[in-house]
Short mmCIF file of all heavy atoms in Angstrom, two decimals:
data_model
loop_
_atom_site.label_atom_id
_atom_site.label_comp_id
_atom_site.label_asym_id
_atom_site.label_seq_id
_atom_site.Cartn_x
_atom_site.Cartn_y
_atom_site.Cartn_z
N LEU A 74 54.87 3.50 74.55
CA LEU A 74 55.19 2.49 75.61
C LEU A 74 55.70 3.04 76.84
O LEU A 74 55.44 2.62 77.98
CB LEU A 74 56.16 1.49 75.01
CG LEU A 74 55.64 0.67 73.83
CD1 LEU A 74 56.70 -0.32 73.36
CD2 LEU A 74 54.44 -0.10 74.15
N ALA A 168 62.93 17.26 96.08
CA ALA A 168 63.77 18.14 95.18
C ALA A 168 62.94 19.21 94.51
O ALA A 168 63.26 20.34 94.50
CB ALA A 168 64.46 17.24 94.12
N LEU A 210 71.51 16.34 95.15
CA LEU A 210 71.79 14.93 95.49
C LEU A 210 71.17 13.95 94.42
O LEU A 210 71.83 13.02 93.97
CB LEU A 210 71.13 14.62 96.87
CG LEU A 210 71.28 13.18 97.35
CD1 LEU A 210 72.82 12.82 97.47
CD2 LEU A 210 70.62 12.97 98.72
N ALA A 234 75.94 27.71 89.30
CA ALA A 234 74.73 28.52 89.27
C ALA A 234 74.11 28.63 90.61
O ALA A 234 73.66 29.74 91.01
CB ALA A 234 73.68 27.93 88.28
N ARG A 249 68.90 38.71 88.68
CA ARG A 249 70.00 37.76 88.45
C ARG A 249 69.87 36.60 89.31
O ARG A 249 70.30 35.43 88.92
CB ARG A 249 71.32 38.49 88.61
CG ARG A 249 71.64 39.58 87.61
CD ARG A 249 72.95 40.19 87.76
NE ARG A 249 73.18 41.24 86.80
CZ ARG A 249 74.28 42.05 86.83
NH1 ARG A 249 75.26 41.89 87.79
NH2 ARG A 249 74.43 42.97 85.86
N SER A 292 56.28 5.42 65.27
CA SER A 292 56.91 5.23 63.96
C SER A 292 57.49 6.52 63.45
O SER A 292 57.18 7.63 63.96
CB SER A 292 55.83 4.84 62.93
OG SER A 292 54.83 5.87 62.75
#
Side-chain angles (χ1 to χ4, degrees):
L74 295 182
L210 179 59
R249 292 179 180 178
S292 66

